[in-house]
Amino acid sequence: MTARSPNLGTSASAPHDILPALLAKPHALVMGVLNVTPDSFSDGGRFLDPTTALAQAERMVAEGADILDVGAESTRPYGSVRISEEDELARLRPILPALTRLGVPISIDTMKAGVAAWALDQGAAIANDVWGLHRDPAMARLAAARGVPVVVMHNRDAADPAIDIMDDIAAFFTRSLAIADEAGLPRERIVLDPGIGFGKTAEQSMIALARLGELGRFGLPILVGASRKRFIASISPSEPDQRIGGSLAAHLIAVQNGARIIRAHDVHETVQALRVAAAIGDKR
């Protein structure tokens, strides 16, 4: 099915101050993951039912999520199947309007500008593009027209163990920012995500976390989503739901290295770990 051109529109009530308000909080932000898909690598199918999905969203908000990130197309780094825009929207329609009434900003996790436009019409406040504005040329124009923040994630079609992954990430983000600039999307509405697990070997994912501070050259907030990723199993063999400890370790290091937003499946544990680490740090 051919995707329709999104209605870029404009919004007089666009939440221009959402990102600065979030980043003004004195702690690292936690973005709770809600996958309304049958094939997510971590929780595929668990939250496909709208009632179950809403209950999970309410639970994450109660546990301290600052943002909810909802996605209706699996973007898992290996074995995901592309779906049409209509199929993606069909999964979102029963749940997204209710999510916008939970009191925290909603991020729409999609690589399709048409889906993002619909979600923004329903009250979503952030666009999360796992292809960093590179795949759908309308995504940057949409965000610019609507005045919303965008998460720009690094991605590759395939991992290449021979490359310097930090050089590749930097070059990718440089192109993303050029696309944004051409579309009139201000830098102050952009968040960078190194894309842990996407188009990277396990070693490269760990390098990206260890050298995260190098991305400070861009002067933009950094989001990290290492939650339950497969690189953890390369160190400690485990299934996705057995990787909470590894996820917390990776996220604590990410915050130490400059991350301001952590995207996580296990919100309670992540919030607790970040708060305890911050409290201990304050005693220095």
Side-chain angles (χ1 to χ4, degrees):
M1 181 175 181
T2 302
R4 295 166 297 184
S5 297
N7 176 19
L8 300 183
T10 57
S11 176
S13 59
H16 299 284
D17 59 346
I18 277 186
L19 187 58
L22 285 167
L23 294 173
K25 293 185 178 183
H27 54 78
L29 304 170
V30 174
M31 173 186 275
V33 179
L34 182 65
N35 294 313
V36 290
T37 63
D39 56 346
S40 168
F41 85 96
S42 175
D43 50 21
R46 285 187 61 199
F47 307 116
L48 195 56
D49 174 73
T51 301
T52 306
L54 182 58
Q56 173 66 1
E58 291 171 339
R59 182 180 303 112
M60 289 192 290
V61 171
E63 290 174 345
D66 300 284
I67 308 164
L68 293 180
D69 188 49
V70 58
E73 177 179 25
S74 175
T75 53
R76 61 185 182 180
Y78 44 90
S80 58
V81 177
R82 299 279 71 83
I83 64 172
S84 70
E85 182 175 309
E86 265 311 311
D87 285 345
E88 194 172 346
L89 288 171
R91 294 173 183 175
L92 289 167
R93 287 188 184 105
I95 181 63
L96 195 138
L99 297 181
T100 64
R101 297 191 287 270
L102 294 182
V104 300
I106 302 301
S107 165
I108 178 65
D109 181 352
T110 184
M111 62 184 79
K112 301 183 183 76
V115 173
W118 177 86
L120 295 173
D121 288 342
Q122 306 307 307
I126 301 167
N128 182 5
D129 183 358
V130 299
W131 273 101
L133 308 178
H134 289 218
R135 283 292 169 94
D136 188 335
M139 188 69 82
R141 298 196 304 271
L142 172 70
R146 301 297 185 92
V148 296
V150 179
V151 178
V152 168
M153 195 190 85
H154 172 266
N155 212 333
R156 293 176 54 85
D157 286 311
D160 180 354
I163 64 173
D164 183 317
I165 194 62
M166 296 308 293
D167 285 349
D168 195 77
I169 291 171
F172 183 99
F173 285 156
T174 298
R175 293 194 298 273
S176 296
L177 293 174
I179 292 167
D181 186 60
E182 185 176 351
L185 176 60
R187 286 176 66 101
E188 56 266 27
R189 292 194 199 131
I190 296 174
V191 175
L192 301 180
D193 176 354
I196 302 302
F198 288 83
K200 299 170 184 66
T201 65
E203 178 77 7
Q204 288 170 335
S205 286
M206 288 186 278
I207 288 170
L209 288 164
R211 295 171 57 186
L212 191 68
E214 294 178 20
L215 300 181
R217 73 180 76 171
F218 292 102
L220 296 173
I222 304 297
L223 179 152
V224 167
S227 185
R228 302 186 183 183
K229 291 293 174 66
R230 189 162 59 169
F231 83 89
I232 297 168
S234 75
I235 306 164
S236 176
S238 50
E239 295 301 314
D241 63 355
Q242 300 170 325
R243 299 174 190 164
I244 297 176
S247 302
L248 295 178
H251 286 150
L252 288 171
I253 289 170
V255 171
Q256 290 172 0
N257 289 342
R260 289 288 290 115
I261 306 172
I262 296 300
R263 183 178 182 273
H265 298 84
D266 305 292
V267 170
H268 170 75
E269 293 85 352
T270 303
V271 168
Q272 185 181 78
L274 293 176
R275 288 180 181 174
V276 170
I280 294 171
D282 287 343
K283 304 304 178 185
R284 292 175 184 160

